[in-house]
Amino acid sequence: DWGKAASGPTLRVQENFVANHQQVLLAVAEYTFEAEQVVVSVSVTPLGHLQNLASIPRVGLELALAARLSRMTWLGCGPGESYPDRKAASDWRVHSNEVDDNHVDYIVPSENGGKADVHWAAFTDGSFGDGLMLQYSCDDEPAKKDKPEDAPTEKRPARTAGAQLSASRLTKEELDRTSHRHKLPASAALKSRPVHVHLDTAHAGVGGVGEGGHKLWATAKQFLVSPGRGPWTYKVTLRAIDSNSWLRNGA
């Protein structure tokens, strides 16, 4: 539905997510078109049919960017892979690298290369510096910092202080259905593909560090995402990066 806000025209999109013929999530996104940016305000509300799940994997949005936007710069954990339960060794600052360098070549392909606690990210053309800036904000109650491993699951994993970001030329579906890394497309063949960006306001831990000290493969409850603690609300601001405009204004 189109509308009008003080800052510009708005577009409201509602999506219903269904599993086993039952509605499980209601997502509402409101796009506000301002003079130099687009503000996307998102609310995701869980419905009763999710109550039997211990956790949901992620809550966020996905964008497909032009293949040439191969340079990624972000304020958050890095430079290597980091997740809510795997970020103690990361530096929280501004980092920059090539999108393709973030892929972690696990023997069995899976979720990889994520960056925790991201406040903003820019994807640019390596030659000219044109691209897109994404800025994340959330007014929900901050995630708790100090919790025992067996504490009840909350709306967001413990110590979450920003969005969870990942960018790859491989889709999530490709990773899920590929049984061994040698079956993935060669890196040279991926260069012309779009850059798939996930920006999540809540993302479960990846596990492997134990649950209460006795299940080494499991994810501690404090790093799960409770399906019954929503709604999740957040904003993503999209702004074009125009190097020619910057040069003109700076001249």
Side-chain angles (χ1 to χ4, degrees):
D1 297 330
W2 285 96
K4 181 70 175 179
S7 53
T10 62
L11 174 64
R12 187 176 186 271
V13 178
Q14 179 174 307
E15 292 183 272
N16 297 303
F17 293 86
V18 177
N20 296 325
H21 308 291
Q22 294 181 319
Q23 188 177 359
V24 294
L25 287 171
L26 172 64
V28 178
E30 185 172 278
Y31 299 78
T32 302
F33 298 87
E34 301 179 358
E36 296 184 344
Q37 61 189 21
V38 178
V39 180
V40 186
S41 303
V42 183
S43 174
V44 180
T45 303
L47 304 177
H49 305 300
L50 285 177
Q51 300 299 326
N52 293 330
L53 294 178
S55 176
I56 54 178
R58 68 203 314 166
V59 178
L61 56 80
E62 180 182 5
L63 304 171
L65 306 182
R68 66 183 182 85
L69 301 183
S70 59
R71 188 74 186 174
M72 185 172 90
T73 305
W74 72 98
L75 173 60
C77 291
E81 183 181 65
S82 59
Y83 288 91
D85 55 350
R86 293 193 182 185
K87 61 184 182 181
S90 299
D91 291 331
W92 193 86
R93 60 179 179 82
V94 176
H95 303 272
S96 186
N97 63 14
E98 293 296 313
V99 165
D100 298 326
D101 293 339
N102 291 306
H103 179 72
V104 181
D105 197 24
Y106 291 116
I107 294 175
V108 177
S110 62
E111 167 73 33
N112 72 87
K115 315 298 180 189
D117 298 341
V118 172
H119 287 201
W120 58 259
F123 294 87
T124 54
D125 183 316
S127 300
F128 301 104
D130 297 330
L132 182 69
M133 167 77 80
L134 310 177
Q135 186 168 3
Y136 166 86
S137 63
C138 178
D139 293 329
D140 287 351
E141 182 181 356
K144 296 179 181 178
K145 293 184 177 181
D146 298 313
K147 295 171 57 180
E149 290 185 343
D150 58 351
T153 303
E154 299 287 346
K155 180 189 263 190
R156 290 181 176 83
R159 306 185 189 96
T160 296
Q164 182 71 34
L165 171 72
S166 65
S168 174
R169 298 188 195 274
L170 295 165
T171 66
K172 179 183 178 297
E173 291 73 23
E174 276 182 298
L175 293 171
D176 288 345
R177 69 171 180 255
T178 304
S179 59
H180 194 280
R181 63 187 180 189
H182 82 276
K183 296 181 179 180
L184 292 172
S187 57
L190 296 174
K191 295 294 185 181
S192 61
R193 287 194 181 190
V195 176
H196 299 278
V197 178
H198 284 275
L199 192 69
D200 299 316
T201 191
H203 192 293
V206 294
V209 293
E211 177 193 6
H214 64 283
K215 295 180 180 178
L216 295 180
W217 50 266
T219 302
K221 290 181 180 179
Q222 62 173 329
F223 296 119
L224 298 178
V225 178
S226 172
R229 295 298 184 97
W232 296 267
T233 59
Y234 62 99
K235 289 184 179 180
V236 179
T237 301
L238 312 177
R239 186 164 188 161
I241 300 172
D242 183 349
S243 59
N244 290 327
S245 174
W246 181 85
L247 288 171
R248 288 193 300 269
N249 293 335

